[in-house]
């Protein structure tokens, strides 16, 4: 399921750590349905989060502690390949319609929810565009290391991260044998997230492999920190 959620802001600005804003919105939304029964499923420490999202910011101008926008509106595309998760979050969004959500020196209000067509392919090679930045993170005991397309070993880390994601989600090593991701037109950028600047990439990639894998990634996203608003993709060319 893929849903477009639109918000109106009280004024034309949003905190620079905007991923954190929408994570807070998702948490409040889930807390407000069925007496919060689904909160632990999606937001406990080790819970599996089978979704991704991207944020649309109109003509953003990035300042030190905020982002100025050309309009007082933002949008979120929420995507999941899990039907139950889709219905739960859709219900959660409905619970927040026309309600104010406070921000620093601002507030936003959900005004519309629209179901979108899911991306699917019958091919074994596709071209995709990043709707939200591609995050590749290597977690160590003391710190996190982020890799962008400018990193020397980016291709290795990119494919290794996605294959580990697929193995964790139940795909066999045999099915992953011919899978690969190839950067086509990627650029490095930096995102402020939870108090730190993270190296990420935006642009287009080619993905090759079994169509079941490609369709799974189209719906659930690629890379690290998908449930924090990274790795959401759009099908361009089959």
């Amino acid at each position: 399921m893929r849903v477009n959620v639109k918000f109106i802001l009280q004024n034309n600005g949003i905190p620079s750590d905007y991923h954190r804003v929408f994570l807070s919105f998702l948490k409040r939304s889930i807390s407000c349905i069925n007496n919060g029964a689904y909160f632990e499923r999606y937001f406990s420490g080790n819970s599996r989060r089978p979704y991704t999202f991207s944020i649309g910011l109109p003509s953003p101008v990035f300042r030190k502690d905020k982002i100025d926008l050309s309009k007082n509106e933002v949008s979120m595309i929420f995507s999941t390949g899990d039907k139950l998760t889709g219905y739960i979050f859709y219900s959660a969004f409905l619970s927040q319609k026309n309600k104010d959500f406070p921000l620093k020196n601002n507030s936003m209000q959900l005004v519309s929810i629209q179901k979108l067509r899911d991306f699917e392919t019958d091919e074994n090679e596709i071209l995709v565009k990043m709707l939200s930045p591609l995050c590749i993170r290597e977690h160590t005991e003391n710190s996190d290391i982020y890799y962008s397309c400018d990193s020397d070993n980016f291709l290795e880390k990119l494919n290794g991260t996605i294959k580990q994601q697929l193995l964790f989600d139940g795909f066999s090593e045999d099915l992953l044998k011919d899978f690969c991701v190839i950067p086509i037109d990627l650029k490095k950028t930096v995102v402020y997230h939870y108090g730190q600047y993270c190296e990420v990439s935006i642009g287009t990639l080619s993905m090759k492999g079994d169509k079941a894998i490609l369709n799974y990634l189209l719906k659930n996203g690629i890379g690290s920190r998908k449930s924090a608003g990274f790795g959401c993709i759009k099908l361009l060319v089959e």
Side-chain angles (χ1 to χ4, degrees):
M1 181 184 290
R2 190 168 285 235
V3 180
N4 187 22
V5 185
K6 293 185 179 180
F7 302 84
I8 295 297
L9 297 162
Q10 186 176 19
N11 58 62
N12 296 21
I14 196 166
S16 55
D17 196 351
Y18 64 95
H19 291 264
R20 190 173 190 167
V21 168
F22 286 91
L23 277 170
S24 295
F25 173 79
L26 293 179
K27 289 179 180 180
R28 188 175 92 166
S29 301
I30 288 293
S31 297
C32 290
I33 60 168
N34 201 16
N35 296 317
Y38 302 115
F39 189 88
E40 188 172 351
R41 176 197 293 259
Y42 295 108
F43 297 110
S44 66
N46 296 317
S47 62
R48 180 176 175 272
R49 302 175 176 96
Y51 61 82
T52 184
F53 64 89
S54 69
I55 305 303
L57 304 174
S59 305
V61 177
F62 292 86
R63 310 293 186 190
K64 183 177 180 180
D65 59 349
K66 70 170 185 171
I67 304 171
D68 292 331
L69 307 172
S70 61
K71 301 178 182 179
N72 66 327
E73 61 184 50
V74 293
S75 61
M76 174 177 66
I77 292 178
F78 179 91
S79 181
T80 178
D82 181 71
K83 287 185 178 180
L84 178 59
T85 295
Y87 290 127
I88 288 172
F89 274 90
Y90 189 82
S91 297
F93 297 149
L94 284 173
S95 76
Q96 297 305 303
K97 193 170 182 181
N98 300 321
K99 293 181 180 179
D100 284 336
F101 184 80
L103 307 174
K104 184 179 180 182
N105 302 319
N106 203 353
S107 67
M108 67 182 189
Q109 186 178 104
L110 191 161
V111 293
S112 73
I113 308 164
Q114 179 187 12
K115 287 185 180 180
L116 303 176
R117 180 178 65 88
D118 277 332
F119 296 116
E120 290 194 354
T121 182
D122 288 322
E123 303 297 325
N124 297 117
E125 182 176 357
I126 58 175
L127 184 68
V128 300
K129 177 183 179 180
M130 301 306 307
L131 293 181
S132 57
L134 172 62
C135 176
I136 302 298
R137 178 185 65 161
E138 185 175 64
H139 183 67
T140 67
E141 186 176 344
N142 298 315
S143 64
D144 290 330
I145 303 171
Y146 291 88
Y147 298 90
S148 74
C149 56
D150 284 357
S151 304
D152 291 337
N153 51 352
F154 174 70
L155 194 58
E156 174 191 348
K157 297 297 182 181
L158 168 66
N159 279 280
T161 297
I162 297 174
K163 286 181 179 179
Q164 283 299 313
Q165 167 196 347
L166 292 166
L167 285 170
F168 180 80
D169 290 339
F171 289 91
S172 67
E173 290 192 18
D174 187 59
L175 199 61
L176 289 172
K177 189 169 50 179
D178 298 321
F179 172 79
C180 68
V181 180
I182 303 169
I184 301 297
D185 183 19
L186 286 182
K187 295 179 181 179
K188 170 190 167 182
T189 189
V190 175
V191 172
Y192 188 65
H193 185 59
Y194 276 82
Q196 68 176 127
Y197 290 95
C198 308
E199 244 184 71
V200 293
S201 306
I202 55 173
T204 57
L205 309 101
S206 170
M207 299 198 304
K208 300 179 181 180
D210 187 277
K211 68 179 182 179
I213 291 174
L214 301 184
N215 282 317
Y216 179 85
L217 295 173
L218 283 170
K219 295 173 183 177
N220 294 285
I222 62 174
S224 308
R225 312 202 84 155
K226 299 185 303 300
S227 62
F230 296 89
C232 188
I233 57 178
K234 174 183 179 180
L235 177 64
L236 292 181
V237 180
E238 298 183 288

